[in-house]
Amino acid sequence: CILVLNYNFMLAIYSRISREKEEGKDRSIKEQRLRGEALADKLGLNFKHFTDEGVSGTWSLEKRPAFFELIQDLTNKKGLITVVYAFDASRLYRSESTRLSFLSAVRKKNIELYFDNGKFDWSDPYMDFMGKVLSATDVLHVDVTKLKVKSILKRNAVEGKAFGITPYGYKTDANGMFIINEDEAEVVKRI
């Protein structure tokens, strides 16, 4: 059996991570890309990477350059992309409007969709339902995380603990509390 690559068609590999990592610290993007390439090899397709780093899945399409480019390629190219791969749905979208935009583009062009656990079967109403449920839980996760982070930031501010960029004239002690930086304080007094 000889595997012939069909270069007329392409697998789009979408990878995303919410926070940029220091060089050599992130394995997630590399792993997502490698898994997509393995699928392209298995299907005998050429592939193109679409990678967003330091980008939230909750952001609008315009703020996600690689995802926006993917949507443009799906809607504008004449059938070049026939398959899309993402590790899981949360890599593609974490908002209902983005989910609907993406799925509309994919369905309109009859594009196959693969996640790490296999091919998404559009004809299976249970799989479609589970996709909606998982999407809703992804949105819930984001909303709950926002509440937790806001609560922690508010508590830290009330307690005088540092967060974010320490203002000029201050430093933080071992407990994370703001204390005056005497050298910088002199400059602030002169100003």
Side-chain angles (χ1 to χ4, degrees):
C1 178
I2 298 174
L3 176 66
V4 177
L5 290 178
N6 189 341
Y7 287 104
N8 294 323
F9 301 111
M10 184 181 307
L11 170 76
I13 301 169
Y14 182 73
S15 307
R16 183 185 64 78
I17 191 163
S18 298
R19 293 189 183 121
E20 290 185 58
K21 307 288 184 177
E22 292 178 37
E23 190 65 35
K25 296 270 183 180
D26 174 42
R27 294 181 18 230
S28 177
I29 288 290
K30 181 179 179 183
E31 185 66 18
Q32 291 175 60
R33 291 170 64 105
L34 288 172
R35 288 174 182 251
E37 290 173 14
L39 177 62
D41 188 46
K42 177 181 173 185
L43 298 175
L45 297 173
N46 197 3
F47 60 87
K48 179 178 179 182
H49 285 286
F50 298 85
T51 304
D52 281 322
E53 293 187 61
V55 173
S56 171
T58 63
W59 293 356
S60 67
L61 297 176
E62 297 78 21
K63 291 183 178 180
R64 298 174 60 188
F67 191 70
F68 186 73
E69 180 186 356
L70 171 60
I71 297 289
Q72 293 297 308
D73 282 5
L74 291 175
T75 56
N76 295 334
K77 303 284 179 169
K78 302 217 184 296
L80 182 63
I81 295 175
T82 56
V83 182
V84 172
Y85 166 81
F87 184 77
D88 61 32
S90 73
R91 299 301 86 208
L92 292 166
Y93 41 76
R94 282 188 180 260
S95 77
E96 186 63 12
S97 61
T98 304
R99 184 181 81 83
L100 293 174
S101 296
F102 173 76
L103 292 179
S104 172
V106 168
R107 280 184 159 167
K108 199 176 286 183
K109 298 282 186 162
N110 258 347
I111 294 170
E112 293 180 353
L113 178 58
Y114 281 82
F115 296 116
D116 206 52
N117 62 354
K119 183 178 177 181
F120 187 83
D121 182 359
W122 297 103
S123 66
D124 182 348
Y126 295 105
M127 188 174 273
D128 187 44
F129 174 75
M130 283 308 299
K132 290 172 185 170
V133 169
L134 290 173
S135 178
T137 59
D138 286 340
V139 171
L140 176 63
H141 172 75
V142 168
D143 292 343
V144 169
T145 301
K146 284 179 187 177
L147 288 174
K148 289 177 183 176
V149 168
K150 284 180 183 177
S151 173
I152 290 168
L153 292 176
K154 184 177 180 180
R155 183 180 324 112
N156 285 346
V158 168
E159 292 176 2
K161 287 187 177 178
F163 58 92
I165 299 171
T166 304
Y168 189 80
Y170 291 91
K171 60 185 177 180
T172 56
D173 66 11
N175 296 320
M177 303 295 285
F178 283 123
I179 58 174
I180 294 174
N181 179 323
E182 297 300 334
D183 294 334
E184 292 178 359
E186 289 304 316
V187 173
V188 172
K189 288 175 189 174
R190 280 197 311 254
I191 293 173

